[in-house]
Amino acid sequence: MRRLRRRRMANAGWFTSDHRQHEMTVAGAKNMPKQLIVDGTAIEVEDGITLIQACAQAGVDIPRFCYHERLSIAGNCRMCLIEVQGIPKPVASCAMGVNDLMPNKDGSAKVITTKSAMVKKAREGVMEFLLLNHPLDCPICDQGGECDLQDQAMAFGVGGSRYAENKRAVEDKNLGPLIKTAMTRCIQCTRCVRFMTEVAGVEELGAIGRGEDMEITTYLEKGMLSEMSANVVDLCPVGALTHRPWAHNARPWEMTKTESIDIMDAVGSAIRVDARGPEVMRVLPRNNDAVNEEWISDKSRHVADGLRTQRLDQPYIRKNGKLVPASWAEALALVAEKLTSINSAVIGAVAGDLAGAEEMFALKDLMTRLGVANIDCRQDGAKLDPALGRASYLFNSGIEAIEQADGIMLIGTNPRLEAAVLNTRIRKRWRQGGLLVGVIGEKSDLGYGYTHLGSTPEALARFVDHAPAKKDRPMFIIGPGAYARPDGAAILSLAAKAALALGVVKDGWNGFNILHTAASRVGGLDLGFVPGRVGRDAAGIVKGDMRVVYLLGADEVTVPAGPFVIYQGTHGDRGANRADVILPGAAYTEKSATFVNTEGRAQMTAKAAFPPGEAKEDWTILRALSELCGQKLPYDSLAALRAAMYRAAPGLANIGGRTSAPADGVMALAKHVGTVGTAPLRSPITDFYLTNPISRASAIMAELSALKASSSAAPRAAAE
């Protein structure tokens, strides 16, 4: 047996006369760059990567089903088989690393072959086995045209099968209202299981049974409740999981694909908008490693039906207490008459959470020409002052830097509800180990472990006095539960002082991070869309003693009876219900607009469809209004407007790039003097699915909201 083992090791290239010396040589070589020859191409790869990654660096695409670069390695589909010199059988390239390869005796580079006869035969056998129970659903499958199994069966399979047995049937599972299942198609790649466990942090999905009886299901046979659950459909390579809301509505080749960004929160996730004719059919994620990797939240993905519902498609004027349709000329003339005939001191303007930088710049320009100082983009009451510097209101470290942090303090924020994609970054870093997470605010399930230090601002003061050992890269993440309250300025000052004292802000590292929830907020602050020296903020504007209030998509404020309200927006939501004049605008999928995400990265949406009816792009409405007001804005095109906007805020011109700010803003914030209250810090977002006019118009979001509410009420009822 010993002689046989020696012969086998020799045949595999794993044996030398001095095995101990060989092991020492291998150990010493592990930290050195690896030399490989992949299909005749010599490459040098970095230490620690897998063979499938090494082949990708050589420009060779390896088929795979279970492997995904952002998930743990399962190695159970065997489609990625390759041939490695010295190993007599095919190797699963996803499960073997370059460090696992023993060097050749002569020191030459290992030769990897991906197109040999052995590899071809092995892949054909794997594909034949994978198709053993797969139904022939391609003509009716909603994954058709985007199916990895379909593509790889054509490229690497054979024209027939040797199996004559009956195919097995698997009962479809209930995974919630977003995911349609056809589990007979499932090949048990477990991508969905690994995503929900590792990325989403919801361990509700797993495998039961063994062998042919293995099935993917939820453990309690109920729908998954996660803000990120629909990403499993993108991961599914075979059509076992598809999107229920848009199932069988359109084929991929029928739709026009437009690259854009998401504005459902302030993360600025990269998305692709697919439209057919005038209608947005679906929203899918795009890869952006610096922001959202390749994930988006369920709200970002499935809010598209809200773009078609309750839309404002023509101007309205309130007559005799009722809103009646009007022409553009009539509506703009009435608005111009109100803005020019009333003292500018009693006119105010509030920009909403979904307003683009272009329309905010145009509205500010118009209000400035009219002498109006009462303008504000902080409809949530945030006590953020752009006069202190950009560092006082940015996520200064950047979203990607979360993976470098060794200590994170969450202050007045619930990132799972406020920025679900960003929360997955924190979980990703937490799973790597060596990260301490603290929470000052309300307790909640964030998807990772943390230490709760208290619910009031006093806990922050105590933390400074009794801080743990200093970290190399500590981080504060401060949410609206801290800064969007009457004592928000004092809490921000306290947090800034703590950051400076604990080394959160130091040379080469600024971990003082403001987490915004509104896509328009940073852009508005960059443009200075805040009250003038004698102006009022949003709360003062909507107090009731103003004569005219201009709401630019501001639906989260309540204007009492009295003021004349002009609403420019997209949906018949709260602002439109209160309005005396409605000017229909364009949604984010219907215009090219600039948004700055929470970390200060300027990005641009793209027009994927046209606004409905008589609705117009927002900046053009303000340009036409300015002429009737006798204060004609000096730009007749979007390019001219942007040129003027870039002169006022140069950072907005850096499209796609993150414009950082010096730490002076944090130091200025620390000098503020104020009294901190005793009320607990609570996130203002209580319903993740209904946070803006578009999501509130979505039937899918309403269903998810009701499902979440009922599931939360059930445990309480049982406990009572």
Side-chain angles (χ1 to χ4, degrees):
M1 288 295 293
R2 184 179 300 173
R3 190 176 296 113
L4 178 60
R5 180 172 176 269
R6 288 166 63 93
R7 187 180 302 119
R8 286 177 176 170
M9 293 177 67
N11 289 337
W14 281 35
F15 181 80
T16 64
S17 57
D18 190 350
H19 194 61
R20 180 174 298 177
Q21 181 64 37
H22 178 73
E23 288 181 340
M24 293 174 62
T25 303
V26 171
K30 279 194 174 181
N31 295 323
M32 297 174 60
K34 308 295 180 182
Q35 303 287 336
L36 297 176
I37 299 176
V38 180
D39 288 345
T41 302
I43 61 170
E44 186 175 281
V45 298
E46 59 187 276
D47 183 62
I49 67 172
T50 60
L51 295 183
I52 195 172
Q53 293 171 317
C55 291
Q57 290 184 14
V60 178
D61 188 26
I62 304 295
R64 81 289 301 270
F65 291 116
C66 69
Y67 174 78
H68 192 278
E69 54 270 18
R70 302 194 193 277
L71 304 176
S72 62
I73 294 173
N76 52 11
C77 80
R78 318 311 286 183
M79 193 63 202
C80 64
L81 295 175
I82 61 174
E83 182 179 353
V84 178
Q85 176 190 13
I87 300 180
K89 60 181 181 179
V91 170
S93 58
C94 72
M96 178 173 281
V98 294
N99 290 345
D100 298 326
L101 296 178
M102 291 298 169
N104 293 330
K105 294 180 181 180
D106 59 0
S108 60
K110 276 287 184 183
V111 176
I112 294 176
T113 307
T114 67
K115 300 175 182 177
S116 66
M118 180 175 73
V119 171
K120 182 177 183 296
K121 182 178 179 181
R123 289 176 180 172
E124 289 175 351
V126 170
M127 181 59 69
E128 188 177 3
F129 186 71
L130 290 175
L131 294 174
L132 170 63
N133 287 309
H134 193 80
L136 299 177
D137 282 346
C138 297
I140 63 169
C141 178
D142 205 46
Q143 194 90 336
E146 298 175 322
C147 178
D148 290 344
L149 183 65
Q150 191 178 59
D151 295 341
Q152 294 186 36
M154 292 294 293
F156 304 103
V158 292
S161 174
R162 291 169 288 178
Y163 296 100
E165 292 80 8
N166 292 330
K167 295 177 181 290
R168 74 165 187 167
V170 181
E171 182 180 355
D172 292 343
K173 306 298 188 294
N174 173 27
L175 299 186
L178 298 182
I179 304 172
K180 183 176 182 290
T181 62
M183 301 310 292
T184 302
R185 303 171 187 162
C186 180
I187 61 171
Q188 289 89 38
C189 71
T190 68
R191 279 186 180 182
C192 55
V193 176
R194 284 175 284 150
F195 172 84
M196 294 303 299
T197 302
E198 299 167 11
V199 179
V202 180
E203 298 182 1
E204 294 181 355
L205 199 63
I208 60 173
R210 300 182 66 185
E212 192 178 52
D213 297 325
M214 180 179 174
E215 298 181 17
I216 304 295
T217 182
T218 52
Y219 293 115
L220 300 179
E221 296 188 0
K222 65 177 184 179
M224 296 184 295
L225 289 176
S226 167
E227 297 77 19
M228 303 289 293
S229 63
N231 287 284
V232 300
V233 177
D234 294 333
L235 293 171
C236 182
V238 297
L241 307 178
T242 55
H243 289 296
R244 186 181 299 276
W246 64 63
H248 308 299
N249 284 343
R251 287 295 194 180
W253 54 85
E254 298 175 341
M255 295 181 283
T256 303
K257 302 168 178 61
T258 306
E259 294 186 353
S260 187
I261 61 165
D262 172 59
I263 65 168
M264 293 297 106
D265 53 31
V267 175
S269 301
I271 60 173
R272 193 189 82 195
V273 180
D274 290 359
R276 185 176 61 182
E279 186 176 358
V280 173
M281 303 299 295
R282 64 181 185 178
V283 176
L284 296 175
R286 286 189 298 118
N287 188 76
N288 187 343
D289 289 340
V291 181
N292 61 305
E293 297 184 301
E294 58 188 88
W295 321 122
I296 56 173
S297 71
D298 292 352
K299 180 168 58 177
S300 302
R301 183 187 299 265
H302 286 294
V303 79
D305 69 313
L307 294 168
R308 305 186 292 268
T309 310
Q310 297 183 356
R311 286 302 301 269
L312 301 173
D313 58 358
Q314 65 182 89
Y316 287 86
I317 293 177
R318 190 176 295 276
K319 295 181 179 179
N320 300 322
K322 294 184 178 180
L323 289 168
V324 297
S327 66
W328 271 107
E330 185 182 3
L332 289 176
L334 177 59
V335 173
E337 187 272 328
K338 290 291 183 181
L339 291 176
T340 55
S341 63
I342 295 176
N343 188 341
S344 61
V346 290
I347 299 175
V350 180
D353 293 346
L354 307 183
E358 286 80 1
E359 51 258 35
M360 285 192 289
F361 176 75
L363 180 58
K364 181 190 176 186
D365 196 355
L366 176 58
M367 290 296 157
T368 301
R369 293 169 186 269
L370 293 172
V372 176
N374 309 307
I375 61 173
D376 202 355
C377 65
R378 305 163 299 182
Q379 67 172 357
D380 61 348
K383 301 301 185 288
L384 300 168
D385 187 358
L388 298 177
R390 293 187 86 226
S392 67
Y393 60 84
L394 287 185
F395 200 98
N396 289 289
S397 68
I399 295 172
E400 198 172 15
I402 290 174
E403 298 183 27
Q404 304 173 22
D406 51 9
I408 297 178
M409 178 63 68
L410 303 175
I411 304 171
T413 180
N414 181 342
R416 181 171 174 179
L417 300 182
E418 296 166 13
V421 174
L422 183 143
N423 195 57
T424 64
R425 286 270 192 177
I426 301 177
R427 174 171 170 79
K428 178 181 179 181
R429 173 64 188 90
W430 175 78
R431 290 187 71 248
Q432 294 170 358
L435 175 69
L436 289 178
V437 181
V439 170
I440 297 177
E442 57 188 334
K443 291 183 178 179
S444 57
D445 181 9
L446 299 177
Y448 43 84
Y450 61 84
T451 301
H452 186 251
L453 302 178
S455 300
T456 64
E458 182 186 1
L460 179 58
R462 290 198 308 267
F463 174 73
V464 177
D465 295 335
H466 305 89
K470 289 190 176 181
K471 297 289 186 179
D472 292 331
R473 293 188 178 275
M475 185 179 288
F476 280 6
I477 299 180
I478 306 164
Y483 61 73
R485 43 186 270 165
D487 60 346
I491 294 176
L492 281 171
S493 178
L494 179 60
K497 293 173 184 175
L500 294 172
L502 298 176
V504 175
V505 179
K506 54 188 176 183
D507 290 341
W509 178 258
N510 187 348
F512 185 83
N513 297 322
I514 302 296
L515 179 60
H516 294 274
T517 57
S520 67
R521 191 77 74 243
V522 176
L525 294 173
D526 284 346
L527 291 168
F529 200 99
V530 292
R533 186 173 55 85
V534 294
R536 294 189 184 183
D537 62 7
I541 293 171
V542 302
K543 190 164 60 174
D545 56 348
M546 286 281 164
R547 294 284 302 279
V548 177
V549 176
Y550 200 114
L551 300 180
L552 180 62
D555 289 273
E556 315 307 322
V557 294
T558 302
V559 183
F564 184 87
V565 177
I566 304 154
Y567 178 77
Q568 179 179 332
T570 59
H571 286 73
D573 204 72
R574 301 169 188 172
N577 290 334
R578 172 61 184 85
D580 295 292
V581 175
I582 293 177
L583 306 176
Y588 70 106
T589 57
E590 300 159 0
K591 62 185 176 183
S592 175
T594 304
F595 292 87
V596 187
N597 76 346
T598 190
E599 61 179 350
R601 186 184 304 274
Q603 301 180 109
M604 198 175 289
T605 62
K607 180 184 287 189
F610 288 94
E614 298 179 33
K616 309 290 184 183
E617 292 192 33
D618 293 273
W619 78 269
T620 62
I621 298 173
L622 293 161
R623 169 62 180 77
L625 177 61
S626 70
E627 194 163 1
L628 294 177
C629 292
Q631 301 290 342
K632 181 179 177 181
L633 297 177
Y635 25 82
D636 297 327
S637 66
L638 185 58
L641 183 152
R642 283 177 174 157
M645 182 176 72
Y646 295 157
R647 289 193 293 270
L652 296 181
N654 185 19
I655 301 298
R658 186 172 71 88
T659 305
S660 58
D664 296 348
V666 182
M667 298 175 186
L669 192 60
K671 296 177 182 178
H672 176 82
V673 177
T675 303
V676 176
T678 58
L681 304 179
R682 297 187 182 279
S683 172
I685 296 181
T686 56
D687 192 332
F688 169 79
Y689 300 103
L690 305 176
T691 56
N692 58 63
I694 301 177
S695 64
R696 286 192 289 267
S698 167
I700 299 171
M701 294 299 107
E703 182 181 1
L704 289 169
S705 175
L707 182 63
K708 184 72 172 180
S710 63
S711 65
S712 300
R716 290 199 300 269
E720 293 171 0

